């Protein structure tokens, strides 16, 4: 059976939800598809749980400051179990509230993954088909993994939110915003953190700001090693040890791989409907983020910025 809409949105993360709400407000018949909880990376594995950790980190620092200026309170550690419980309660409620708002907006929410059956048709897991003149791909990104020995010994950013206690010593591999943010958070919450960055921190950001940030991070006690090239990870009696091209690092209790994010486009059936992607799976789009079939407006194509 094929159902017809004006717009189908694949993915109910920040991008897909905003698109669906806006289109519905303009009177479009919208179908929004997602097999996972509403809100995507930002709500469940990104901004929101990260900001919760950020608040905790601020309170940890404020405790020390309070004592330094004469308060009688003693800085104490965070009860991560309790903290995770409170955070989960808040996040679960976001899914329920989005579902309610989508219903009020008249968006048809379908809790299944979709893939292209043809240029204007999406097929669901249960075999149903939806048709629309416009289809938006908002399937986000996931943490990139590397083919190197011992990679499985480390965590990805998603795993940080499942930690039940801060690692005593942690190495973060990567120099992007995920690496830098977690470095500050974990150090403030009691871990001894070192960052191994490929080139410099926050490549592409304003250099003066990055230099100031790097100085500040070092003052906080975070070890920063630039121009690192991690080749392998292995476990020995002391913990997890990373082999860098230039040095064998001291063992640590945990490793966080923060080596970039890759788009979730592999299972969408894009090639079959003539949608071009680059070698990492980014859909090639023009300056207005529209895909053009091969050959059309090739000059305006640029890589889609994947922030997720
Ligand atoms: C650790 C971390 C911290 C971050 N902190 C911030 C921050 O502080 N501020 C900020 O602005 N940004 C932050 N970001 C980035 C932000 O999370 C992303 O930019 C944002 O979530 C991207 O939204 P999206 O809609 O493109 O994709 P996503 O949020 O990833 O949503 C994609 C959705 O598509 C669904 N999906 C996948 N395949 C299919 C399919 N075939 N059919 C249907 N649905 C599908 C997925 O289940 C998912 O729900 C952070 C990211 C991370 C990882």
């Amino acid at each position: 059976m094929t159902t017809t809409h004006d717009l189908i949105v694949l993915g109910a993360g920040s991008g897909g939800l905003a698109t669906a709400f806006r289109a519905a407000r303009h009177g479009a018949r919208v179908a929004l598809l997602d097999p996972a909880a509403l809100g995507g990376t930002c709500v469940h594995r990104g901004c929101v749980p990260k900001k919760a950790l950020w608040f905790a980190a601020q309170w940890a620092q404020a405790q020390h400051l309070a004592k330094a200026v004469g308060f009688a309170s003693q800085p104490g550690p965070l009860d991560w179990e309790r903290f995770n419980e409170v955070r989960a309660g808040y996040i679960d409620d976001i899914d329920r509230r989005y579902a309610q708002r989508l219903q009020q907006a008249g968006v048809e929410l379908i809790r299944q993954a979709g893939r292209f059956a043809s240029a204007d048709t999406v097929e669901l897991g249960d075999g149903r088909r939806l048709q629309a003149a416009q289809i938006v791909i908002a399937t986000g990104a996931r943490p990139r993994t590397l083919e190197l020995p011992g990679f499985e010994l480390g965590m990805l950013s998603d795993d940080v939110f499942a930690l039940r206690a801060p690692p005593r010593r942690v190495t973060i591999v990567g120099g992007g915003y995920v690496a830098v943010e977690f470095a500050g958070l974990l150090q403030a919450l009691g871990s001894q953190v070192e960052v191994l960055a490929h080139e410099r921190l926050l490549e592409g950001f304003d250099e003066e700001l990055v230099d100031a940030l790097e100085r500040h991070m070092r003052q906080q006690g975070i070890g920063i090693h630039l121009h690192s090239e991690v080749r392998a990870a292995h476990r020995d009696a002391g913990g997890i040890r990373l082999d860098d091209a230039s040095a064998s690092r001291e063992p640590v209790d945990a490793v966080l791989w923060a080596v970039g994010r890759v788009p979730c486009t592999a299972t969408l059936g894009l090639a079959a409907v003539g949608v071009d992607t680059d070698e990492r799976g980014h859909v090639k789009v023009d300056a207005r983020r529209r895909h053009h079939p091969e050959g059309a407006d090739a000059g305006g194509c640029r890589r889609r910025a994947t922030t997720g």
Side-chain angles (χ1 to χ4, degrees):
M1 191 184 88
T2 303
T3 318
T4 305
H5 295 80
D6 297 313
L7 173 71
I8 298 168
V9 183
L10 299 175
S14 316
L17 282 164
T19 308
F21 280 124
R22 176 62 66 93
R25 215 183 306 150
H26 288 292
R29 288 165 304 156
V30 183
L32 175 63
L33 277 59
D34 201 315
L38 303 176
T41 303
C42 183
V43 169
H44 302 280
R45 300 170 294 281
C47 336
V48 176
K50 189 272 308 284
K51 274 200 178 120
L53 270 181
W54 188 84
F55 280 122
Q58 271 212 321
W59 290 323
Q61 286 180 329
Q63 285 189 82
H64 289 281
L65 193 61
K67 183 164 187 282
V69 299
F71 278 94
S73 65
Q74 281 299 320
L78 174 70
D79 177 345
W80 280 55
E81 297 271 359
R82 170 79 188 129
F83 172 75
N84 288 350
E85 222 176 84
V86 174
R87 191 188 59 207
Y90 175 73
I91 289 174
D92 288 350
D93 201 45
I94 293 181
D95 177 274
R96 189 187 56 76
R97 279 184 277 152
Y98 269 132
Q100 207 170 43
R101 281 181 54 202
L102 287 166
Q103 195 183 23
Q104 284 159 1
V107 173
E108 184 183 353
L109 173 63
I110 300 172
R111 296 210 183 238
Q112 292 190 52
R115 68 192 315 277
F116 283 86
S118 69
D120 67 353
T121 305
V122 164
E123 186 171 80
L124 308 181
D126 64 9
R128 265 189 301 153
R129 288 184 168 213
L130 310 177
Q131 199 172 39
Q134 303 289 337
I135 300 175
V136 169
I137 300 168
T139 49
R142 58 182 160 72
R144 181 171 163 234
T145 55
L146 301 177
E147 297 278 323
L148 57 78
F151 186 84
E152 72 286 351
L153 295 173
M155 311 179 275
L156 298 172
S157 63
D158 299 355
D159 303 319
V160 174
F161 303 119
L163 284 175
R164 307 176 89 162
R168 194 166 63 82
R169 302 162 301 176
V170 57
T171 296
I172 302 180
V173 182
Y177 76 94
V178 172
V180 166
E181 285 189 317
F182 279 125
L185 293 175
L186 290 171
Q187 180 82 15
L189 288 168
S191 298
Q192 175 58 54
V193 179
E194 67 171 1
V195 176
L196 306 186
H198 207 183
E199 296 291 331
R200 55 197 309 276
L201 296 183
L202 298 174
E203 201 66 44
F205 284 67
D206 179 275
E207 286 192 17
E208 272 182 50
L209 288 178
V210 175
D211 288 345
L213 175 72
E214 191 182 318
R215 275 197 304 279
H216 185 71
M217 289 171 71
R218 288 187 196 275
Q219 278 164 9
Q220 272 193 306
I222 298 170
I224 300 177
H225 307 277
L226 305 178
H227 309 292
S228 295
E229 175 82 49
V230 174
R231 303 236 165 111
H234 50 92
R235 192 182 285 283
D236 63 21
I240 305 171
R241 202 181 281 274
L242 294 177
D243 290 338
D244 197 324
S246 55
S248 179
R249 299 270 162 213
E250 287 300 306
V252 287
D253 305 299
V255 169
L256 167 61
W257 303 106
V259 290
R261 299 187 54 86
V262 286
C264 302
T265 52
T267 59
L268 296 179
L270 295 179
V273 292
V275 174
D276 311 323
T277 51
D278 68 9
E279 71 287 351
R280 284 214 187 156
H282 300 91
V283 175
K284 291 180 179 171
V285 292
D286 69 10
R288 295 185 62 197
R289 310 223 154 190
R290 293 169 306 184
H291 174 71
H292 294 272
E294 213 162 339
D297 193 24
C301 281
R302 65 185 171 102
R303 176 176 288 190
R304 177 184 175 160
T306 309
T307 52

